[in-house]
């Protein structure tokens, strides 16, 4: 078993890890995108040159810099450069609407905004409207500028200093910046290696396909794993089924995918002629996986080992794994679970008194892990509400733990909708729709979707004397929030169902759409 060769290092900072692989595997490919390959030795030098470029612009430890664009090898190098000197990278989802981008940039006080060429105009427009205007730099121009500089001298940050800040939508109000440190991003690698789990170990010629968006932990998080293990990241600008199938045919060995995307891959005509034998491990998560889809994927990729990963931005990604041996062609009960705690992680299902619930009874899934965020940027109250004094992070997911420690997610305590692996909060969509001239009241729910798992539906009550046009409501929302958050359909109802205290009963609105489904999340 090829266990020993990959446990060479126990470094827990980007700086130490990149330095290690640049000497251990200098010619090994670190990044590969559209035919451009960057070796570990080149990445080591280029990121130190990028630090010189940051320093020339006054960037110091703790400063935020931002990225607006799709997945780019240059983004990942800028991120590693920032992490090596202790600046904090903030990738912003390219599908967000301009006001959402502006909020995140304003919240971070970012001094630099690096952009894909396609987003240069958006970046400049948003930056111009901010009180602290970040310098907007096109990514390839930045890379070219850095390559002409001498590698910088710098002091690397400590393991508990933040290096990445990912924005996660709140149940109410604006998104929150979850700060993630070196130790958060790399702290579970050593316990996993010590446990001898096969999927923790990588061969030198392994290749991580990075097709999920870099503004998510499921995108940037994959690069953290690849860099830690000294293997190639094959970067694709965005997910396409053809791109994934071609990458697998060309040698991708590891990947992460959300269920809606996996469905597009296995049902694509090219899947029938793709050789899946290269693909060693397929990790999936970010939304519950329909059992029939999972069985179809196992049939389509008979030599691939499947891993279900459960986690969230605030836990730096995966904290619970359903291992390959719990996946079967005919399907089984455990394939409906989110697996069990990774080595180094504690998971408990807690009751309303914040005590561990009896096995088999429902409660809130809580996580204690070295990968837990130290908190939300500039939001001490929100941090205290999420992380209790004993270090348990409260996920907002309702779940049951069985006698063997497997966690079954039942529902979401906070009404969140997961559509195509993207988190959508009803409150955010409702506030975008409020103010429409024909609408008196609105409640947003998730309804089942064969393509996306769930899709967003707005239930609205018209103002007296007004008629509501659904297409007009959708267009109104899309001007204010990202298209993926906007409703796909609008129901006009005579009155909102409410309880005695006036709270809208979302369950009543959802019930007709979920009748006959085996769970109330999809």
């Amino acid at each position: 078993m090829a266990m020993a060769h990959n446990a060479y290092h126990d470094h827990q900072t980007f700086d130490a890890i990149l330095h290690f692989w640049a000497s251990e595997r200098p010619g090994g490919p670190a990044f590969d995108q559209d035919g451009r390959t960057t070796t570990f030795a080149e990445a080591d030098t280029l990121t130190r040159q990028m630090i010189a470029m940051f320093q020339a612009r006054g960037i110091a430890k703790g400063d935020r810099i931002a990225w607006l664009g799709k997945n780019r090898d240059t983004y990942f190098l800028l991120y590693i450069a920032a992490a090596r000197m202790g600046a904090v990278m903030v990738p912003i989802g390219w599908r967000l609407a301009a006001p959402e981008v502006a909020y995140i940039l304003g919240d971070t006080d970012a001094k630099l905004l690096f952009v894909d060429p396609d987003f240069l105009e958006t970046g400049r427009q948003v930056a111009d409207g901010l009180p602290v205007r970040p310098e907007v730099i096109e990514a390839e121009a930045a890379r070219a500028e850095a390559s002409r500089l001498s590698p910088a001298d710098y002091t690397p940050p400590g393991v508990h200093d933040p290096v990445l800040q990912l924005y996660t939508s709140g149940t109410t109000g604006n998104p929150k910046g979850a700060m993630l440190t070196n130790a958060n991003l790399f702290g579970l690698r050593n316990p996993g290696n010590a446990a001898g789990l096969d999927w923790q170990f990588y061969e030198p010629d392994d290749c991580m396909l990075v097709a999920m968006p870099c503004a998510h932990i499921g995108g940037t998080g994959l690069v953290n794993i690849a860099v830690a293990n000294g293997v190639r990241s094959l970067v694709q600008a965005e997910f396409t089924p053809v791109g994934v199938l071609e990458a697998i045919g060309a040698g991708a060995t590891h990947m992460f995918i959300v269920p809606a995307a996996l469905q597009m891959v296995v049902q694509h005509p090219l899947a029938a002629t793709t050789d899946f034998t290269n693909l060693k491990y397929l990790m999936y998560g970010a939304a519950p996986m329909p059992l029939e889809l999972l069985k179809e994927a196992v049939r389509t990729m008979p030599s691939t080992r499947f891993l279900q990963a459960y986690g969230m931005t605030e836990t730096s990604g995966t904290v619970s794994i359903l291992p390959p041996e719990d996946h079967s062609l005919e399907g089984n009960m455990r394939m409906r679970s989110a697996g069990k705690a990774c080595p180094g992680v504690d998971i408990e299902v807690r009751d309303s008194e914040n005590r561990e619930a009896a096995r088999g009874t429902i409660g809130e899934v809580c996580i204690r892990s070295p990968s837990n965020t130290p908190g939300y940027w500039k939001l001490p109250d929100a941090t205290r509400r999420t992380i209790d004094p004993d270090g348990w992070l409260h996920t907002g997911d309702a779940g049951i733990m069985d006698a063997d420690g497997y966690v079954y997610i039942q529902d979401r305590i906070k009404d969140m909708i997961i559509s195509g692996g993207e988190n959508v909060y009803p409150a955010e969509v409702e506030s975008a729709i409020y103010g429409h001239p024909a609408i008196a009241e609105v409640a947003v729910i998730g309804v089942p979707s064969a393509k996306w798992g769930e899709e967003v539906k707005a239930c609205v009550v018209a103002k007296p004397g007004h008629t509501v046009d659904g297409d007009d409501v959708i267009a109104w929302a899309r001007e204010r929030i990202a298209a993926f958050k906007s409703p796909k359909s609008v129901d006009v109802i005579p009155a909102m169902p409410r309880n005695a205290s006036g709270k809208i009963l979302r369950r009543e609105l959802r019930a007709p759409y979920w009748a006959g489904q085996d769970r109330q999340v999809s």
Side-chain angles (χ1 to χ4, degrees):
M1 242 177 151
M3 288 288 177
H5 78 270
N6 207 44
Y8 305 103
H9 78 77
D10 57 3
H11 300 302
Q12 288 194 32
T13 67
F14 268 111
D15 189 65
I17 289 168
L18 202 58
H19 185 74
F20 174 82
W21 288 119
S23 58
E24 187 73 26
R25 205 172 279 173
F31 294 100
D32 180 354
Q33 184 171 22
D34 300 332
R36 172 164 69 180
T37 302
T38 308
T39 66
F40 277 97
E42 289 167 341
D44 179 45
T45 301
L46 182 53
T47 52
R48 288 187 292 129
Q49 292 172 309
M50 286 172 166
I51 292 170
M53 178 180 67
F54 296 156
Q55 289 174 344
R57 287 169 167 78
I59 299 296
K61 180 182 165 185
D63 284 341
R64 268 63 183 163
I65 65 173
W67 168 261
L68 179 62
K70 297 181 181 180
N71 294 349
R72 296 282 174 216
D73 52 359
T74 300
Y75 155 71
F76 291 111
L77 288 157
L78 289 163
Y79 160 50
I80 293 167
R84 294 188 80 173
M85 67 166 287
V88 180
M89 176 57 88
V90 184
I92 300 172
W94 60 268
R95 296 198 294 167
L96 296 182
E100 297 171 302
V101 175
Y103 175 78
I104 291 173
L105 273 177
D107 189 54
T108 58
D109 299 322
K111 296 183 177 177
L112 305 179
L113 172 62
F114 294 95
V115 293
D116 245 355
D118 298 351
F119 297 91
L120 194 54
E121 199 48 45
T122 308
R124 285 177 175 153
Q125 282 175 357
V126 170
D128 283 344
L130 292 172
V132 178
R133 187 189 182 283
E135 182 185 353
V136 180
I137 309 172
E138 194 270 312
E140 291 310 306
R143 185 172 182 149
E145 179 188 329
S147 68
R148 295 189 292 269
L149 301 174
S150 298
D153 292 322
Y154 59 94
T155 304
V159 293
H160 297 298
D161 290 319
V163 294
L164 179 63
Q165 189 161 309
L166 296 178
Y167 275 76
T168 175
S169 288
T171 47
T172 55
N174 291 309
K176 304 190 287 289
M179 297 181 284
L180 301 176
T181 68
N182 274 299
N184 294 157
L185 301 175
F186 300 116
L188 291 179
R189 184 171 176 268
N190 292 337
N193 284 350
L197 302 174
D198 280 7
W199 60 85
Q200 288 280 142
F201 293 89
Y202 289 76
E203 303 291 340
D205 58 354
D206 280 348
C207 171
M208 179 71 79
L209 173 60
V210 183
M212 294 290 109
C214 63
H216 285 229
I217 194 66
T220 290
L222 294 185
V223 167
N224 299 336
I225 296 168
V227 169
N229 291 287
V231 302
R232 173 166 62 126
S233 290
L234 178 59
V235 179
Q236 294 185 343
E238 59 184 307
F239 164 77
T240 63
V242 172
V244 167
L245 289 163
E246 287 176 348
I248 292 168
T253 59
H254 294 69
M255 64 180 290
F256 172 81
I257 197 165
V258 300
L262 180 61
Q263 181 166 2
M264 293 179 212
V265 170
V266 298
Q267 293 179 357
H268 194 278
L270 197 59
T273 56
T274 299
D275 178 0
F276 288 99
T277 53
N278 289 320
L279 188 64
K280 296 179 182 179
Y281 287 102
L282 186 144
M283 297 173 276
Y284 65 91
M289 171 74 80
L291 189 57
E292 288 309 311
L293 171 58
L294 188 50
K295 285 159 64 176
E296 185 180 357
V298 172
R299 277 197 306 275
T300 306
M301 310 173 190
S303 60
T304 299
R305 305 184 76 196
F306 286 76
L307 290 163
Q308 181 177 171
Y310 167 75
M312 56 203 305
T313 306
E314 290 89 340
T315 62
S316 311
T318 306
V319 286
S320 159
I321 283 271
L322 183 72
E325 56 270 23
D326 285 324
H327 291 76
S328 64
L329 208 50
E330 62 281 358
N332 61 60
M333 185 61 189
R334 280 185 174 170
M335 283 165 75
R336 295 187 184 279
S337 79
K340 52 187 178 179
C342 296
V345 176
D346 294 318
I347 300 180
E348 285 186 3
V349 171
R350 295 281 184 93
D351 63 19
S352 57
E353 305 293 311
N354 199 20
R355 294 181 302 229
E356 188 172 8
R359 296 290 169 103
T361 61
I362 196 163
E364 184 175 16
V365 178
C366 297
I367 313 286
R368 191 167 60 187
S369 170
S371 61
N372 282 0
T373 176
Y376 298 112
W377 169 246
K378 298 198 291 197
L379 294 172
D381 291 347
T383 299
R384 277 192 294 272
R385 284 194 298 273
T386 302
I387 304 169
D388 71 24
D390 298 322
W392 289 92
L393 187 143
H394 292 247
T395 65
D397 286 333
I400 290 170
M401 185 181 282
D402 72 13
D404 298 315
Y406 286 77
V407 178
Y408 293 78
I409 305 298
Q410 300 298 306
D411 204 341
R412 286 185 294 277
I413 289 167
K414 299 174 182 168
D415 293 322
M416 186 177 75
I417 300 161
I418 302 181
S419 184
E422 296 273 15
N423 296 346
V424 181
Y425 287 89
E428 200 177 0
V429 186
E430 288 161 3
S431 61
I433 294 172
Y434 275 125
H436 185 285
I439 291 174
E441 291 185 290
V442 57
V444 166
I445 57 171
V447 297
S449 160
K451 185 175 184 183
W452 303 114
E454 282 181 281
E455 60 183 44
V456 180
K457 177 182 280 289
C459 301
V460 303
V461 176
K463 284 183 180 171
H466 286 72
T467 306
V468 174
D469 177 326
D471 291 342
D472 185 53
V473 174
I474 292 167
W476 172 278
R478 284 184 169 209
E479 284 175 19
R480 291 159 175 79
I481 51 173
F484 71 83
K485 299 177 185 176
S486 301
K488 298 280 186 292
S489 59
V490 177
D491 285 359
V492 182
I493 57 176
M496 283 291 165
R498 296 181 182 276
N499 67 10
S501 62
K503 188 170 186 285
I504 291 173
L505 297 169
R506 285 181 209 275
R507 276 181 192 279
E508 266 185 42
L509 292 172
R510 287 164 52 143
Y513 301 98
W514 292 91
Q517 301 275 330
D518 59 7
R519 57 181 162 198
Q520 293 298 299
V521 290
S522 184

